[in-house]
Structures are given as structure tokens and as C-alpha cells.
Amino acid sequence: GQKRVYHRISFAFMSGHLAMTDRTVFARSKFDFAAFAIKPVIDQHFGTQDSSVRHRMLANFSMFAHYNRWANERVYEAAGLTNNADYRADRGAFFGSLHGTLNHLVVADRIWMRRFTGVGPLHTQLDEIIYEDRVSLGVARRDEDERIIFYIETLSETEIAGMFTYRSISNPTNV
């Protein structure tokens, strides 16, 4: 059958260091963005017309959005404990420093939210440093987390089962 492209909403996890998931996946449904946690439910109910199943999926997405905010708060608390030299030191990660990585995570979430909603800042580089200071970056992170929660909590059951197309940054063609 036809495959559609959907995005996994990013979730931050911290276990001694920062790790983040931000991947585009080929999937049959937006439900698959949370497949790591609810794959059995998806497998059993994929494609169902049962609105109660879609309603439960929306509740799960809301839980994940709130968890994302909670995890980001913990990440920023931990980052706040680092001295400026360590915070800005190139650690050989994709985005160099912790500062570069935290900027990237805000940029990536803004890019996806703009794709989902059609509004928000337009970013053209994944490594863009949108804020040099920690305070402004933290405010932007909190604002974006609230935006994600609002978006998820206002999705209709029809929207959650729908399709969308977007342009990638690296190869600006419709996906």
C-alpha cells in the first residue's frame, strides 16, 4: 500500500547525557510517531474507524507532549548547572556544544510545528543558533513546549488520521 511520511515528535531523554530523537519516518499513520511506546495498540487498531480508539490515541499524544515539556525542563535544569566553558565546549556531537544542541532542538521543533500548523518562525538551517544567551533560549524552549501541547490538545480526530506534505530543508522538494 501507499506509505506516507510523518514525523516523530521529538522527546528529550537524559540519563547522564543528552539524547534526542528527531527523525522523519515512513509510516502508514501519524500514530506511528509514538510507535516505540504504543506499537501494540497501533498494530491492533490501525486504520480503525472507531472514534474511541482515535480519542485514546489523542490522549496518548497529549501525555507525550506533556512528558516532552517535563523532560525539557529537566534538561535545562541540568544544563543550567554547567559552567559556561563546558556549556559551550565542542564535544564532537552533531551540533558541537550543549548550547548548539539545545538551539538545534528548539529549531527542529519549530520547523516541525511550522510544517504541522503553517505558522511560526521560518528556519533554514538545523544548526542555526537562534539565541546566544541561555535565558532567551530557555524562554524559547518553554514557549515551544507550550505550543506543542496546545497543538496536540486541539487536534481533531480527523486531523490526527490525516495526511500532510512538507518541504525538507536539505532537499527542498515536497515530501
Side-chain angles (χ1 to χ4, degrees):
Q2 179 185 11
K3 289 190 175 185
R4 301 173 186 169
V5 179
Y6 294 96
H7 179 261
R8 291 181 191 231
I9 289 184
S10 301
F11 294 98
F13 298 95
M14 198 168 82
S15 58
H17 64 281
L18 179 68
M20 191 71 174
T21 314
D22 186 14
R23 295 192 172 91
T24 301
V25 294
F26 292 90
R28 293 170 293 185
S29 164
K30 286 182 186 176
F31 296 155
D32 286 352
F33 81 73
F36 64 93
I38 54 177
K39 187 173 183 339
V41 174
I42 295 165
D43 290 344
Q44 182 179 1
H45 300 291
F46 174 74
T48 182
Q49 296 304 310
D50 183 351
S51 67
S52 67
V53 171
R54 291 193 307 269
H55 181 74
R56 286 192 309 268
M57 297 304 293
L58 284 170
N60 284 327
F61 297 157
S62 177
M63 177 188 66
F64 291 140
H66 284 273
Y67 175 79
N68 182 57
R69 177 181 60 195
W70 175 87
N72 282 329
E73 288 169 355
R74 306 289 90 57
V75 168
Y76 275 77
E77 285 173 18
L81 298 175
T82 61
N83 65 48
N84 198 50
D86 288 340
Y87 176 77
R88 295 188 182 271
D90 188 336
R91 300 293 181 191
F94 288 108
F95 301 98
S97 65
L98 179 57
H99 182 70
T101 300
L102 293 177
N103 267 278
H104 162 72
L105 297 176
V106 173
V107 167
D109 282 346
R110 284 179 170 183
I111 288 168
W112 278 105
M113 288 303 295
R114 183 178 173 93
R115 288 171 178 165
F116 290 141
T117 67
V119 297
L122 177 62
H123 297 283
T124 58
Q125 295 179 333
L126 293 174
D127 61 351
E128 181 179 350
I129 301 297
I130 51 177
Y131 296 102
E132 281 295 338
D133 67 288
R134 294 187 203 201
V135 173
S136 297
L137 183 58
V139 169
R141 174 73 272 161
R142 284 187 297 279
D143 289 348
E144 203 59 30
D145 287 340
E146 293 306 316
R147 184 174 175 221
I148 290 167
I149 289 169
F150 178 79
Y151 172 72
I152 293 295
E153 291 184 348
T154 59
L155 280 174
S156 70
E157 292 178 9
T158 303
E159 289 169 320
I160 204 72
M163 285 182 53
F164 77 99
T165 59
Y166 69 92
R167 289 180 149 318
S168 76
I169 290 177
S170 58
N171 182 12
T173 58
N174 283 344
V175 179

